[in-house]
Amino acid sequence: MSHARRILVGQLWHEGHSFNPVATVREDVSIVEGEAMLRGARESRTSLSGIVAVCDALGDTCVPTLAARARPGGPIEEPVFQEIADALVEAAAKGGYDAICLDLHGATLAAETGDTEGVLLTRIRDVVGPDMPIAVALDLHGHITPAMLDAATIVTGYRTNPHQDIFETGERAMRLLDGVLRGRAVGEAPPCAVATRLPFITRGNDETDQGPLVALGAMADRWRAHPAIVDVSVFNVQPFLDLPGMGQVVVAYDDGSGAAMDACREIAEQLWADRTAFQQQLPSVEEAFEIARHSEEVLALGDQGDRVIGAGPGDSPFIAAKALELAPDLRVATGIFDPEAVKAAHAAGVGATLDLGVGASINTGLDPLRATWTVTSLAPARFRNQGPYMHGVEADFGPAAVLVCGNVSVVVTTRAPNIHDPAFYDALGIAVAEQDIVVARAANHYKLSFRDCARCITVDTPGLTAFRPQDLPFTCARPFYPLDDVAWSFDTAATVHRRGA
């Protein structure tokens, strides 16, 4: 009887934004190691959780390394990334396991390293040798590079946006790895990959349950049902990365029959044909106010222009300012990154009145929201997500304060508030049910966790995560559509195709 397999597992999750000047520092990164890492995975719903769950179900032993997580934002300070990468590579170099399964984002960005996942996986491949099976679970918005595909045996991405299958993607990565191990035991070759990049970025209209991705997803599903196809992923890329080779990527794996080439071609050509459809017209904040006035439901407004979940800084006071100006009758709650306002509130104390401007220290083209505020609460913005998106994962946005002016409540935080779960407001004593409007620092994923307590509407707002690429100083990533008149056709000679280790 064969021995129980040992699977080295780890996680690095951060989504970067090349134009967000606020660096992700060591204090922003949660690192959990050893058995505590596995315990946390079993109590949450990340891709690492799915990996561990399948290992447990198969009777395999998880060999823990570390789980490093940071909210989306500016580039990780280079020494911090190198510290995490060194730890993962050192663990891989020790040996004593049969395969590796990792939960990576795919769009992690460091100050001096753009292709962080490619660098990390290459370093791991260098120490484990060419024959070690490596499977990776990735975000649908990963920046997929040749280095990543060359180093990993197989990569697989989320299939939904909003991301409802994060846990399931981890499960799939581990089951694909199990298939590689079983195939190797009987002398089968590992999967053969074909990948192609399309030089364009989306500008919204990229949810998978509506718009052009519905038909594209159905096409991918038909190929996944093909007996020779091992897996197919379509990566829509984080559109705020100024990196070489940035764009949509289709990756298909087959059994060596050549079917992956056909799958990759058909999906990529349809994706390119649909490129003009990935543009969304969102309602204005003023229109949302009118909806709120005539609705019996609480409205959760996704702040498109300053999405922390899209790696924005979270300092925009735009919706709060519009509420004070145009809708003083509506009860509105939001969160704004402003460490100086937090300091002032803590120095003054609960009940104090402060005249100060809030927010707009990073997003250009916005002004601080100056008003007379009453400090109503001082508390840490720390909680565990209660909704289905990233369920059970701890969020910590540091010391915070609630400032109130009229019917507007602003939670000022010392770290960018990645608001996609009602638990954020609960942690600060703001009852969502008692508001007319609550703001989410997200455009898609908040819908999963707010849908049971609010009507979700994403609104058109300014900021670093607005889908206005013409306003951002892209250099390395160009040329790409829609900023450039760029041609593309499927070329097998220019397509990455390789046989896994």
Side-chain angles (χ1 to χ4, degrees):
M1 185 172 63
S2 62
H3 73 287
R5 300 177 308 189
R6 294 170 58 81
I7 310 297
L8 191 76
V9 298
Q11 179 188 61
L12 171 56
W13 199 96
H14 166 266
E15 185 173 24
H17 190 309
S18 294
F19 308 110
N20 182 343
V22 182
T24 299
V25 300
R26 180 62 180 81
E27 291 74 17
D28 296 326
V29 184
S30 168
I31 298 180
V32 183
E33 302 177 82
E35 289 302 317
M37 164 192 160
L38 298 180
R39 184 167 58 252
R42 293 183 176 111
E43 294 172 351
S44 58
R45 296 280 294 181
T46 66
S47 286
L48 178 62
S49 305
I51 291 168
V52 172
V54 172
C55 279
D56 291 345
L58 292 173
D60 295 337
T61 298
C62 290
V63 180
T65 56
L66 60 82
R69 295 185 59 86
R71 71 185 183 286
I76 300 174
E77 290 186 327
E78 192 67 24
V80 179
F81 166 66
Q82 295 299 340
E83 171 196 345
I84 296 167
D86 288 349
L88 288 167
V89 172
E90 181 180 346
K94 290 179 180 177
Y97 51 85
D98 300 285
I100 300 172
C101 200
L102 300 174
D103 171 11
L104 306 178
H105 185 282
T108 297
L109 182 66
E112 299 172 19
T113 306
D115 184 12
T116 52
E117 284 90 354
V119 168
L120 172 61
L121 289 168
T122 299
R123 290 185 61 192
I124 290 174
R125 176 60 70 195
D126 287 345
V127 299
V128 302
D131 297 326
M132 178 63 67
I134 301 175
V136 183
L138 295 167
D139 192 293
L140 178 149
H141 294 105
H143 167 60
I144 309 305
T145 67
M148 294 166 65
L149 296 172
D150 287 342
T153 309
I154 194 161
V155 303
T156 188
Y158 307 163
R159 296 175 179 173
T160 61
N161 183 36
H163 303 326
Q164 302 182 63
D165 64 332
I166 295 175
F167 179 87
E168 290 78 6
T169 301
E171 289 184 310
R172 186 186 323 118
M174 186 57 219
R175 293 201 182 279
L176 289 168
L177 183 62
D178 176 57
V180 171
L181 290 168
R182 291 177 183 275
R184 187 172 69 171
V186 296
E188 293 179 1
C192 186
V194 175
T196 192
R197 179 184 71 90
L198 297 89
F200 83 88
I201 61 172
T202 66
R203 292 169 290 166
N205 199 26
D206 56 0
E207 294 189 1
T208 51
D209 60 354
Q210 58 186 337
L213 287 181
V214 173
L216 200 79
M219 179 183 291
D221 281 341
R222 288 194 295 273
W223 276 109
R224 290 171 187 135
H226 191 290
I229 291 293
V230 177
D231 192 56
V232 173
S233 293
V234 180
F235 295 96
N236 296 135
V237 81
Q238 152 67 312
F240 307 110
L241 295 176
D242 191 19
L243 297 173
M246 201 264 285
Q248 316 292 296
V249 173
V250 180
V251 184
Y253 291 87
D254 67 19
D255 58 5
S257 64
M261 185 69 74
D262 295 333
C264 192
R265 180 196 296 270
E266 184 179 41
I267 295 168
E269 288 180 344
Q270 186 61 53
L271 187 56
W272 182 252
D274 289 340
R275 66 191 182 282
T276 60
F278 290 99
Q279 184 171 1
Q280 194 166 22
Q281 297 299 319
L282 297 171
S284 67
V285 172
E286 292 85 349
E287 289 171 320
F289 289 163
E290 282 304 307
I291 294 172
R293 288 191 176 100
H294 298 92
S295 175
E296 295 183 358
E297 299 177 280
V298 178
L299 262 60
L301 299 188
D303 188 341
Q304 176 74 52
D306 192 17
R307 295 171 282 139
V308 175
I309 208 166
D315 73 330
S316 171
F318 185 82
I319 295 176
K322 287 291 186 181
L324 286 177
E325 176 190 1
L326 303 175
D329 54 313
L330 296 177
R331 298 164 297 174
V332 177
T334 188
I336 296 175
F337 171 60
D338 193 329
E340 294 304 315
V342 175
K343 291 179 183 177
H346 278 256
V350 173
T353 299
L354 299 173
D355 292 315
L356 77 164
V358 171
S361 62
I362 302 157
N363 266 295
T364 57
L366 295 174
D367 296 319
L369 175 54
R370 185 159 296 278
T372 299
W373 304 95
T374 300
V375 181
T376 63
S377 177
L378 301 171
R382 184 185 304 120
F383 55 92
R384 289 191 180 275
N385 294 322
Q386 298 301 308
Y389 180 72
M390 293 291 180
H391 178 79
V393 173
E394 184 178 65
D396 186 355
F397 308 128
V402 179
L403 308 179
V404 175
C405 178
N407 280 328
V408 173
S409 300
V410 173
V411 181
V412 286
T413 62
T414 52
R415 298 188 185 119
N418 190 10
I419 309 169
H420 55 74
D421 195 294
F424 171 84
Y425 290 108
D426 292 341
L428 276 300
I430 297 174
V432 170
E434 295 177 4
Q435 305 299 310
D436 297 305
I437 290 173
V438 292
V439 176
R441 291 285 176 198
N444 308 106
H445 308 325
Y446 77 102
K447 297 174 184 178
L448 302 177
S449 297
F450 275 94
R451 62 189 175 191
D452 290 336
C453 63
R455 177 182 175 185
C456 299
I457 301 175
T458 301
V459 289
D460 185 19
T461 55
L464 282 171
T465 63
F467 284 127
R468 300 182 181 112
Q470 67 274 13
D471 295 339
L472 297 172
F474 284 102
T475 55
C476 298
R478 298 181 72 171
F480 64 78
Y481 178 87
L483 293 188
D484 303 289
D485 184 11
V486 57
W488 175 88
S489 62
F490 188 86
D491 181 357
T492 57
T495 299
V496 179
H497 41 273
R498 56 172 294 280
R499 182 166 294 283

